[in-house]
Every structure is written in structure tokens, then in C-alpha cells.
Amino acid sequence: MKASIVNKYRFITSVIGFSLVLVLGIVFLVLFVLAPKKVPDNYVETNAKILRIEEKPSPFYDASDGIDSSDYDHRVLIEYSYGGKTYSEAEYDRYDSDMKEGDTVLLFLNPEDPEEFMGDPSRDFIFVILVVVFILIGIGGLGYTVYQKKKGA
């Protein structure tokens, strides 16, 4: 009798947990993937050169657990030209571990205010993969939980 109650509890908590993972994955998919940051129509595409990448410890850094690249926040400083003027030390709003000083990155800038720009939204691809994995874990976990329940019944 007691084992039956424990199994029901495990089933219910598994269903709730995997349902939450699935729902959160879908919410992230809708908010950040299906409705991505769109480049305004009046923005123009240009290239920028990475001047420097600064690393600083993340506010969540804990020296006791060793150093990991995820323990750092990265600030990417770029230089670009538009309308005969060069803009230096502008902070690029994207970072990935492939970036190196001297690399060229794509950006979209406001021709009316060239200091206003955004990075290439296509660089968010890794986030899309993470969201899809999150959703697949939710679906797989729910399916496995229901399968185990039917198998045990």
C-alpha cells in the first residue's frame, strides 16, 4: 500500500516537473525565437572590427569551484565607420567564444543616429538549439513517465 502511494507521488511530481520544463521551453520559444529582435527597416548593414574583448569575473563567480569560461562576463569593444566618421570603443551586444580581437562582425546601425546599432540577430542560433533541447527534454520526460506508469499498471 505504501509503495503505491510513493509511486503515485513520483508519477505526479514527474508529470508536473516535465510539464514545467515543456511549458517554459515553449514560452522561451515564443518570446525569444519566434518573435526575435527584428532589425528595423531603416537600419543599414555594416561591418565592424573587434578592437578588444574584456573579461571580468561574473557576479556569480565562485573561486572555490575552479575557473571556467562561464565564470566570466565578456565585453566586446568594436570600431566601425559610417558617413565618413569612425566610431571607436562601441560595445557590441553579442559575444561568443569564437570571437577574437581583429575579427569582423556584422552590425546594423541607425543611419539617423549611427551610434545606435544592434548586433547580428542571426548569432542567436545557439539559443534556439538550447530552447529546442529544453522542449525535447520536457516531451521525452513526460512520454517516459507516462510509459512507465502504463507499464507498471
Side-chain angles (χ1 to χ4, degrees):
M1 178 82 171
K2 189 172 184 166
S4 173
I5 293 172
V6 170
N7 286 339
K8 280 184 182 180
Y9 177 75
R10 283 185 184 153
F11 175 75
I12 291 169
T13 56
S14 294
V15 167
I16 291 171
F18 286 119
S19 295
L20 283 173
V21 169
L22 180 60
V23 168
L24 286 174
I26 291 170
V27 167
F28 278 112
L29 181 70
V30 169
L31 292 178
F32 298 108
V33 178
L34 298 179
K37 197 174 183 184
K38 187 176 183 294
V39 177
D41 291 335
N42 68 323
Y43 276 39
V44 294
E45 182 179 317
T46 189
N47 289 316
K49 178 181 172 186
I50 297 176
L51 295 176
R52 191 166 72 252
I53 300 173
E54 298 175 351
E55 287 184 343
K56 62 180 180 177
S58 166
F60 306 107
Y61 173 70
D62 180 6
S64 66
D65 68 358
I67 296 178
D68 183 338
S69 63
S70 63
D71 295 330
Y72 291 96
D73 290 330
H74 295 86
R75 187 170 172 234
V76 179
L77 300 171
I78 60 171
E79 177 179 86
Y80 61 96
S81 297
Y82 182 75
K85 185 175 178 191
T86 299
Y87 300 86
S88 259
E89 303 288 319
E91 190 169 343
Y92 194 62
D93 62 351
R94 306 240 188 297
Y95 170 78
D96 69 46
S97 59
D98 296 350
M99 292 179 164
K100 295 182 275 319
E101 292 178 10
D103 283 355
T104 300
V105 291
L106 182 65
L107 62 89
F108 297 88
L109 60 86
N110 181 350
E112 296 166 12
D113 179 11
E115 291 183 5
E116 182 183 317
F117 65 87
M118 63 185 287
D120 181 7
S122 68
R123 293 187 73 93
D124 294 337
F125 181 70
I126 189 70
F127 186 73
V128 173
I129 292 171
L130 291 174
V131 168
V132 169
V133 167
F134 212 64
I135 290 171
L136 291 175
I137 288 171
I139 291 170
L142 278 173
Y144 181 74
T145 301
V146 170
Y147 168 77
Q148 287 294 80
K149 176 71 173 172
K150 286 183 179 181
K151 185 176 144 184

